[in-house]
Amino acid sequence: MIPRHDCVFNCNAEFYHSLWSTSPGPDFALGTAGGNVLIEMTSPTYGLASSSYPSAASGWAAYYQEGGYEDVVPPLVVIDDQVRIGQCWSLEGEQGHIAIRLAAPINVTHVAFHYPNYEELRAQESRAAPQNVAIWALVEEEILEEQQKTTQLITRPGDYFMQPKRRFDRKLVRAKKFVQITSIFFNPQKGTRQLSETEADARKLTTALVVTEVISNWGAPRTCLYRIAVHGKEM
């Protein structure tokens, strides 16, 4: 039970519980810690001309400025430690994905979705939140095959999330596969940080690349993602 005096006036104690819950450790997706977005495996940003979108993060600032896209939030916002209403990465429709290269190889134990306070969101902003989400980790195929002898994990080819017409270094996915490490039902009313523990068998696998796949949202024509945190044990 959360003491009432720890809340601001008239606050919902259960809603704010997530703010005080125990941390699962360092966030290896965090941009300032070395995480990065792999645009070659990331869906197009809503409102941008995807055909001319630069593949390197270093070219994004110039692209946004020269193209008149200053008001469009780039994918890098999902690995920022700040969550501000409206400062989210948007993809068209209710399905898409974003790939995050982690700061170091880890065994993923938890994935956290951060979102603004539901009570401060407009209805259309709430509907743009993700609903059903799958989290995938890119792992060595040889190690995965050994693991599959004792358990059955859902897998996809290493190039499954590659975006068409974008340059791609196939060495990144050579002899590797994606394995689903957890699935999340996200409800923006349930707190500003919602933590999901990965499958027990998946926690035995080491990865340096995680893909968040949005399968559905809450009924909006676009989906809006805020901070995604990836926690685990560094190898």
Side-chain angles (χ1 to χ4, degrees):
M1 185 70 180
I2 300 173
R4 298 300 301 180
H5 63 267
D6 282 349
C7 283
V8 294
F9 184 65
N10 285 337
C11 83
N12 183 325
E14 291 183 0
F15 182 89
Y16 285 94
H17 175 68
S18 62
L19 297 179
W20 304 324
S21 58
T22 304
S23 170
D27 175 13
F28 289 89
L30 191 63
T32 53
N36 205 350
V37 172
L38 186 67
I39 201 65
E40 295 92 331
M41 285 189 179
T42 296
S43 297
T45 298
Y46 180 79
L48 294 188
S50 59
S51 60
S52 60
Y53 199 71
S55 60
S58 59
W60 290 354
Y63 174 81
Y64 277 74
Q65 185 175 8
E66 294 171 4
Y69 299 121
E70 292 89 346
D71 294 334
V72 179
V73 181
L76 285 174
V77 73
V78 305
I79 56 174
D80 194 335
D81 62 355
Q82 299 295 315
V83 176
R84 304 180 184 89
I85 294 177
Q87 291 296 302
C88 59
W89 175 65
S90 296
L91 58 93
E92 186 171 3
E94 64 175 0
Q95 296 182 341
H97 51 269
I98 184 166
I100 300 174
R101 193 192 297 268
L102 304 177
I106 64 171
N107 289 11
V108 182
T109 58
H110 299 82
V111 177
F113 274 71
H114 295 250
Y115 226 76
N117 185 337
Y118 173 80
E119 298 171 354
E120 298 176 1
L121 295 175
R122 294 179 296 167
Q124 64 184 28
E125 293 170 329
S126 298
R127 290 195 295 270
Q131 185 184 70
N132 290 292
V133 180
I135 307 296
W136 301 84
L138 187 65
V139 302
E140 296 288 345
E141 191 169 2
E142 183 178 356
I143 297 175
L144 179 60
E145 289 177 353
E146 187 66 27
Q147 183 81 356
Q148 292 282 56
K149 293 179 181 179
T150 57
T151 186
Q152 290 298 315
L153 296 168
I154 301 173
T155 63
R156 287 180 176 173
D159 60 356
Y160 184 85
F161 293 104
M162 283 177 55
Q163 291 298 293
K165 299 181 180 180
R166 284 191 183 154
R167 295 180 181 180
F168 187 79
D169 184 1
R170 299 198 66 87
K171 292 180 181 179
L172 178 66
V173 299
R174 187 174 299 161
K176 294 180 181 179
K177 282 187 176 181
F178 278 103
V179 58
Q180 185 174 326
I181 58 176
T182 190
S183 59
I184 300 170
F185 181 79
F186 182 83
N187 185 343
Q189 298 186 41
K190 296 297 183 181
T192 57
R193 188 192 73 168
Q194 296 177 39
L195 194 66
S196 176
E197 190 174 6
T198 57
E199 301 287 342
D201 291 320
R203 290 198 294 272
K204 302 174 184 177
L205 301 170
T206 302
T207 186
L209 180 67
V210 169
V211 171
T212 296
E213 180 186 20
V214 179
I215 300 170
S216 64
N217 65 16
W218 290 88
R222 64 185 179 95
T223 302
C224 197
L225 296 179
Y226 288 86
R227 180 184 177 188
I228 301 171
V230 181
H231 308 277
K233 298 179 180 179
E234 188 170 359
M235 304 309 293

